[in-house]
Amino acid sequence: MPQISRDASVQTVITTFEMTPGTCQDLLEALTDAYAEFISKQPGFISAGLHVNDAQTRIANYSQWKRREDFQAMLRSPEMRQRNRRINELCRSFEPVMYEVAGTFDVTG
């Protein structure tokens, strides 16, 4: 996975999903399948990570794209629209938001 850096010329998208513990595993499987079978093969995709909280009520998704337009084209595709309908059924809400890296911190200072 690429390093998180203010100097990186990538678009960062952080999506949070809210769900019940009973649907967490199903949602995680749907997201994992979406990345493995479709999203990771789209133009401009760089990397992604999925994170589940201990209570299994939230999933956070961090993804990087070469350009904002690449991410938007993936979202607008018929395949992803269909997948998002299924994802929407499995969670209370989800919201993708594009960010710029404002600062980074690690053990090296």
Side-chain angles (χ1 to χ4, degrees):
M1 179 174 267
Q3 293 291 320
I4 300 171
S5 167
R6 287 185 69 185
D7 300 328
S9 61
V10 299
Q11 294 295 309
T12 301
V13 180
I14 299 174
T15 306
T16 54
F17 302 83
E18 291 186 41
M19 81 290 302
T20 65
T23 59
C24 182
Q25 191 58 43
D26 292 334
L27 179 57
L28 185 59
E29 288 174 9
L31 292 169
T32 299
D33 184 65
Y35 272 103
E37 300 298 323
F38 180 71
I39 299 172
S40 65
K41 296 171 174 52
Q42 298 310 296
F45 175 82
I46 297 171
S47 66
L50 294 168
H51 310 267
V52 179
N53 73 335
D54 289 344
Q56 295 190 341
T57 56
R58 291 182 184 264
I59 293 176
N61 170 226
Y62 178 93
S63 64
Q64 292 180 317
W65 296 82
K66 289 182 181 173
R67 301 176 317 131
R68 173 182 301 268
E69 295 81 10
D70 295 329
F71 174 73
Q72 291 170 335
M74 177 276 299
L75 280 182
R76 291 182 184 125
S77 69
E79 170 101 11
M80 199 63 220
R81 286 177 188 234
Q82 179 180 350
R83 287 178 182 272
N84 275 340
R85 282 191 288 277
R86 172 68 177 139
I87 288 166
N88 193 48
E89 292 172 358
L90 294 170
C91 62
R92 292 181 178 148
S93 67
F94 72 98
E95 181 180 12
V97 179
M98 195 157 293
Y99 294 88
E100 289 185 20
V101 177
T104 59
F105 308 90
D106 60 30
V107 295
T108 62

